[in-house]
Amino acid sequence: MKTRIAALASAALSMLGAQAASSDPVAEFYKGKTFTILVGQEPGTGFDIYSRALARHFSRHVPGNPSVIVQNMTGASGVVAFNWLYNVAPKDGTVMGTSSQNVAVEGLFGNTSAKYEATRFNWIGNMEESAAVCGVTPEANVTKFDDLLTRELVVGATGPTGPIGQSARALNGIAGTKLKITSGYKGTASIKLAMASGEVHGICGLPWSTIKSFWKDELDAKRFLPIIQLSARRLPELGGIAHIDDYAKSDEAKQVVDLIFGQLALGRIYAAPPGIPAERVAALRAAFMSTMADREFLADAEKTRIDIIPTTGDQVDALINRSYAAPAPIVERARKIVEAK
């Protein structure tokens, strides 16, 4: 009799669990579905590797536990992927995308190829509050950043709208450097090969987390030498190298620097299309932050040698909206500085 009662109790609990699951419309929607993480950069880049680490754990935290896959869609430093995400992707919560942080401000800086409104995306979260630097090879014969105020240096870049090229142009416009930009590389992995061959001698706007992980061998062997930090917070581990703030002499210049380089804090942002039901957006945001705290995920991240410094979707949304609220004269000056000539 006790065994029968226990069996009935177990069955009742199972039924209650099933009823609870079936009463959750978000879980019911995602059950059996495939969730896609779209990456706007080529395979093997930091954005791709971060996303594949996320994909290995994200399903456990999404109600209904959908399958999670990663797809790459390259072009225009992420603008192609975000155009598709905004205009073509299903608006049901089964897709989110990531790319370099420049995608968030392309419309602000007048890029007519960006066919989306950044403030209308459903920002899901950010995996890493990034810091970025410029670095050179020993063959550049550059020992400090001020050397670049009088000496030309050839640096590699991706497309004209990418953060790598924008960072170099911003240094020319703000600090007065003489960087000669060679664009057209598929990604930072391609630029690394070009630096190793002597085709170019530097790169700007490279996330410090990428350097510590995917450029670690070059860093340890002093084949990559950081010379200036570009993002807002100064990292003690970078020692006494120059900081972009040192070259912003007026209040207006400081606002321009904040507008151009403040976006670097959005190191690994994820967005879903507009128009998704609010309860699914909330579930994805919660799942994202839950994954960031997941012990298995953090162990995986450590093994993969990637930094996890997350910020919420609300925080990402607030930062992007703050940028779009910048005074028109500041936006115009920043736009003229970063636009490709």
Short mmCIF file of all heavy atoms in Angstrom, two decimals, residues 154-183:
data_model
loop_
_atom_site.label_atom_id
_atom_site.label_comp_id
_atom_site.label_asym_id
_atom_site.label_seq_id
_atom_site.Cartn_x
_atom_site.Cartn_y
_atom_site.Cartn_z
N VAL A 154 51.63 52.12 -40.76
CA VAL A 154 50.59 51.43 -41.53
C VAL A 154 49.87 50.46 -40.60
O VAL A 154 50.49 49.58 -39.99
CB VAL A 154 51.18 50.66 -42.73
CG1 VAL A 154 50.08 49.96 -43.50
CG2 VAL A 154 51.95 51.62 -43.64
N VAL A 155 48.54 50.64 -40.47
CA VAL A 155 47.74 49.76 -39.61
C VAL A 155 46.68 49.06 -40.45
O VAL A 155 46.20 49.59 -41.44
CB VAL A 155 47.07 50.56 -38.46
CG1 VAL A 155 48.12 51.16 -37.54
CG2 VAL A 155 46.16 51.65 -39.01
N GLY A 156 46.32 47.86 -40.02
CA GLY A 156 45.31 47.10 -40.72
C GLY A 156 43.92 47.39 -40.19
O GLY A 156 43.74 47.78 -39.03
N ALA A 157 42.92 47.21 -41.06
CA ALA A 157 41.53 47.43 -40.67
C ALA A 157 40.63 46.52 -41.49
O ALA A 157 41.06 45.95 -42.50
CB ALA A 157 41.12 48.89 -40.86
N THR A 158 39.40 46.39 -41.05
CA THR A 158 38.43 45.59 -41.80
C THR A 158 37.73 46.52 -42.79
O THR A 158 38.38 47.14 -43.61
CB THR A 158 37.44 44.93 -40.83
OG1 THR A 158 36.87 45.92 -39.96
CG2 THR A 158 38.14 43.89 -39.97
N GLY A 159 36.42 46.63 -42.73
CA GLY A 159 35.72 47.55 -43.60
C GLY A 159 35.81 48.98 -43.10
O GLY A 159 36.22 49.23 -41.97
N PRO A 160 35.39 49.94 -43.92
CA PRO A 160 35.48 51.34 -43.53
C PRO A 160 34.62 51.69 -42.33
O PRO A 160 34.87 52.69 -41.65
CB PRO A 160 35.02 52.09 -44.78
CG PRO A 160 34.24 51.09 -45.57
CD PRO A 160 34.88 49.77 -45.28
N THR A 161 33.58 50.90 -42.05
CA THR A 161 32.70 51.20 -40.92
C THR A 161 33.08 50.47 -39.64
O THR A 161 32.46 50.69 -38.60
CB THR A 161 31.24 50.85 -41.26
OG1 THR A 161 31.16 49.42 -41.49
CG2 THR A 161 30.76 51.60 -42.48
N GLY A 162 34.08 49.61 -39.69
CA GLY A 162 34.42 48.81 -38.53
C GLY A 162 35.13 49.60 -37.44
O GLY A 162 35.73 50.65 -37.70
N PRO A 163 35.09 49.12 -36.20
CA PRO A 163 35.72 49.83 -35.08
C PRO A 163 37.23 49.90 -35.20
O PRO A 163 37.85 50.80 -34.65
CB PRO A 163 35.28 49.02 -33.87
CG PRO A 163 35.00 47.65 -34.40
CD PRO A 163 34.44 47.87 -35.76
N ILE A 164 37.84 48.95 -35.93
CA ILE A 164 39.29 48.96 -36.08
C ILE A 164 39.72 50.18 -36.90
O ILE A 164 40.59 50.96 -36.49
CB ILE A 164 39.78 47.66 -36.76
CG1 ILE A 164 39.32 46.42 -35.95
CG2 ILE A 164 41.28 47.66 -36.92
CD1 ILE A 164 39.85 46.35 -34.55
N GLY A 165 39.07 50.38 -38.05
CA GLY A 165 39.38 51.55 -38.86
C GLY A 165 38.92 52.84 -38.22
O GLY A 165 39.61 53.86 -38.28
N GLN A 166 37.75 52.82 -37.60
CA GLN A 166 37.24 54.02 -36.94
C GLN A 166 38.16 54.47 -35.82
O GLN A 166 38.39 55.67 -35.63
CB GLN A 166 35.83 53.77 -36.39
CG GLN A 166 34.75 53.74 -37.46
CD GLN A 166 33.36 53.59 -36.86
OE1 GLN A 166 33.21 53.35 -35.67
NE2 GLN A 166 32.34 53.72 -37.69
N SER A 167 38.70 53.53 -35.06
CA SER A 167 39.60 53.89 -33.97
C SER A 167 40.86 54.56 -34.50
O SER A 167 41.33 55.55 -33.92
CB SER A 167 39.98 52.63 -33.17
OG SER A 167 38.85 52.09 -32.51
N ALA A 168 41.39 54.03 -35.59
CA ALA A 168 42.59 54.64 -36.18
C ALA A 168 42.30 56.05 -36.70
O ALA A 168 43.09 56.98 -36.48
CB ALA A 168 43.13 53.75 -37.29
N ARG A 169 41.17 56.22 -37.38
CA ARG A 169 40.81 57.55 -37.89
C ARG A 169 40.56 58.52 -36.74
O ARG A 169 40.90 59.70 -36.83
CB ARG A 169 39.58 57.45 -38.78
CG ARG A 169 39.85 56.80 -40.13
CD ARG A 169 38.70 57.00 -41.11
NE ARG A 169 37.48 56.34 -40.69
CZ ARG A 169 37.21 55.05 -40.92
NH1 ARG A 169 38.09 54.30 -41.57
NH2 ARG A 169 36.08 54.52 -40.51
N ALA A 170 39.98 58.02 -35.65
CA ALA A 170 39.74 58.88 -34.50
C ALA A 170 41.05 59.36 -33.88
O ALA A 170 41.15 60.51 -33.45
CB ALA A 170 38.90 58.13 -33.46
N LEU A 171 42.05 58.50 -33.84
CA LEU A 171 43.34 58.92 -33.31
C LEU A 171 43.98 59.98 -34.21
O LEU A 171 44.59 60.93 -33.72
CB LEU A 171 44.28 57.72 -33.16
CG LEU A 171 43.97 56.80 -31.97
CD1 LEU A 171 44.85 55.57 -32.01
CD2 LEU A 171 44.17 57.55 -30.66
N ASN A 172 43.83 59.82 -35.51
CA ASN A 172 44.35 60.84 -36.42
C ASN A 172 43.64 62.18 -36.18
O ASN A 172 44.28 63.24 -36.17
CB ASN A 172 44.15 60.42 -37.87
CG ASN A 172 45.13 59.34 -38.31
OD1 ASN A 172 46.15 59.11 -37.67
ND2 ASN A 172 44.81 58.65 -39.39
N GLY A 173 42.32 62.12 -35.96
CA GLY A 173 41.55 63.34 -35.82
C GLY A 173 41.65 63.99 -34.45
O GLY A 173 41.55 65.22 -34.33
N ILE A 174 41.85 63.19 -33.41
CA ILE A 174 41.85 63.72 -32.04
C ILE A 174 43.28 63.98 -31.55
O ILE A 174 43.58 65.05 -31.00
CB ILE A 174 41.13 62.76 -31.09
CG1 ILE A 174 39.63 62.70 -31.43
CG2 ILE A 174 41.33 63.18 -29.63
CD1 ILE A 174 38.89 61.59 -30.73
N ALA A 175 44.15 62.99 -31.72
CA ALA A 175 45.51 63.10 -31.18
C ALA A 175 46.51 63.64 -32.20
O ALA A 175 47.60 64.07 -31.82
CB ALA A 175 45.98 61.74 -30.67
N GLY A 176 46.15 63.61 -33.49
CA GLY A 176 47.07 64.11 -34.51
C GLY A 176 48.09 63.10 -34.97
O GLY A 176 49.17 63.48 -35.47
N THR A 177 47.78 61.81 -34.86
CA THR A 177 48.69 60.78 -35.35
C THR A 177 48.69 60.75 -36.87
O THR A 177 47.87 61.38 -37.54
CB THR A 177 48.29 59.40 -34.81
OG1 THR A 177 46.89 59.18 -35.09
CG2 THR A 177 48.51 59.32 -33.32
N LYS A 178 49.63 59.98 -37.42
CA LYS A 178 49.78 59.88 -38.86
C LYS A 178 49.60 58.42 -39.29
O LYS A 178 50.43 57.86 -40.01
CB LYS A 178 51.15 60.41 -39.29
CG LYS A 178 51.38 61.87 -38.87
CD LYS A 178 52.75 62.36 -39.29
CE LYS A 178 52.98 63.79 -38.80
NZ LYS A 178 51.97 64.73 -39.31
N LEU A 179 48.51 57.81 -38.84
CA LEU A 179 48.25 56.41 -39.16
C LEU A 179 47.76 56.28 -40.60
O LEU A 179 46.84 56.99 -41.02
CB LEU A 179 47.21 55.84 -38.20
CG LEU A 179 47.57 55.89 -36.71
CD1 LEU A 179 46.42 55.37 -35.87
CD2 LEU A 179 48.84 55.10 -36.44
N LYS A 180 48.36 55.38 -41.33
CA LYS A 180 47.93 55.07 -42.70
C LYS A 180 47.16 53.76 -42.64
O LYS A 180 47.71 52.73 -42.23
CB LYS A 180 49.14 54.94 -43.62
CG LYS A 180 48.76 54.68 -45.08
CD LYS A 180 49.99 54.58 -45.97
CE LYS A 180 49.59 54.30 -47.41
NZ LYS A 180 50.81 54.17 -48.28
N ILE A 181 45.89 53.81 -43.00
CA ILE A 181 44.98 52.68 -42.77
C ILE A 181 44.83 51.84 -44.04
O ILE A 181 44.47 52.35 -45.10
CB ILE A 181 43.60 53.19 -42.32
CG1 ILE A 181 43.76 54.07 -41.07
CG2 ILE A 181 42.66 52.02 -42.04
CD1 ILE A 181 42.53 54.88 -40.74
N THR A 182 45.13 50.56 -43.91
CA THR A 182 44.93 49.60 -45.00
C THR A 182 43.70 48.75 -44.66
O THR A 182 43.75 47.94 -43.74
CB THR A 182 46.17 48.70 -45.18
OG1 THR A 182 47.30 49.51 -45.49
CG2 THR A 182 45.94 47.71 -46.32
N SER A 183 42.60 48.98 -45.38
CA SER A 183 41.35 48.27 -45.09
C SER A 183 41.17 47.07 -46.00
O SER A 183 41.93 46.86 -46.95
CB SER A 183 40.16 49.23 -45.29
OG SER A 183 40.25 50.33 -44.42
#
